[in-house]
Amino acid sequence: MRELELSDGVVTLSPLRPEDAAAHLAGEDEELVRWLSGGPSTPEGVAAYFRQCREQWEADGPLRAFGIRADEEGGNGVLAGTIDLRFGHADLAPGQVNVAYGLYPPWRGRGLATRAVLLASGYGARVGAREAVIRVEPENAASAAVARRAGFRPAGRARDGHGTLHDWYLRGLDLFRPEAAGE
């Protein structure tokens, strides 16, 4: 499973690797801390999280964390951010998968997050999810715009288990299934 790569020719998703830790730390900024991680990362914390991600992949666990790699000309995919899918999340209904993403500052505004969300949603459909959910804090206009560009529809507002208010965006995944394309 660790060799999995999903690509559209511009963006490639592949499981996070321990060697991605330094690039992740270097790319973290105030926006990622505020909207995604909830606090500044440390080298030890990132290393532990990336180990957890690897273990989840190896165990076919509920967390599937990908590196978003920008396919630059002549390059082999520079780490531009992360995206993860969480199956069986306590706030979600059966068949739903949570999608969370973040790009490092130099890669924002290029459409890479939208591409990554579409690739990850396709993967989610192939492994059994029926609907993808993106939960965005109301002040995070950039993340909400990604959800809309990726075809997610607004579905209300709710507080999570920690009391944080989120706007919910949903997208059915039937169109991502191979049988929907006649394969």
Side-chain angles (χ1 to χ4, degrees):
M1 187 61 80
R2 289 185 38 87
E3 291 78 34
L4 174 70
E5 284 193 351
L6 310 169
S7 182
D8 66 2
V10 175
V11 168
T12 298
L13 304 184
S14 61
L16 285 171
R17 312 183 281 254
E19 58 268 24
D20 292 330
H24 178 74
L25 279 167
E28 185 178 79
D29 69 343
E30 282 185 33
E31 286 189 48
L32 280 177
V33 168
R34 179 177 181 191
W35 303 122
L36 194 60
S37 63
S41 295
T42 64
E44 299 79 17
V46 170
Y49 176 69
F50 281 26
R51 276 193 306 275
Q52 176 194 8
C53 293
R54 183 184 66 233
E55 291 165 3
Q56 287 287 302
W57 278 106
E58 290 170 356
D60 206 23
L63 170 63
R64 309 293 167 82
F66 293 94
I68 300 171
R69 301 176 199 288
D71 296 335
E72 291 192 311
E73 197 172 311
N76 54 358
V78 176
L79 189 67
T82 64
I83 186 166
D84 68 53
L85 300 176
R86 289 185 189 263
F87 298 86
H89 192 283
D91 292 335
L92 304 183
Q96 290 182 320
V97 62
N98 190 76
V99 181
Y101 45 87
L103 290 175
Y104 309 132
W107 301 101
R108 294 180 188 142
R110 301 182 187 194
L112 301 180
T114 302
R115 290 172 171 277
V117 166
L118 291 170
L119 287 168
S121 295
Y123 171 79
R126 287 191 295 281
V127 297
R130 294 276 174 208
E131 187 172 53
V133 178
I134 295 176
R135 297 175 304 148
V136 178
E137 289 183 47
E139 299 83 18
N140 189 347
S143 192
V146 168
R148 288 189 302 273
R149 282 193 303 273
F152 285 67
R153 70 183 190 289
R157 197 173 260 188
R159 293 197 182 276
D160 66 15
H162 303 289
T164 304
L165 186 64
H166 290 103
D167 289 331
W168 283 49
Y169 295 85
L170 305 176
R171 178 165 183 174
L173 299 180
D174 288 343
L175 291 176
F176 288 99
R177 296 186 193 294
E179 62 271 16
E183 295 177 18

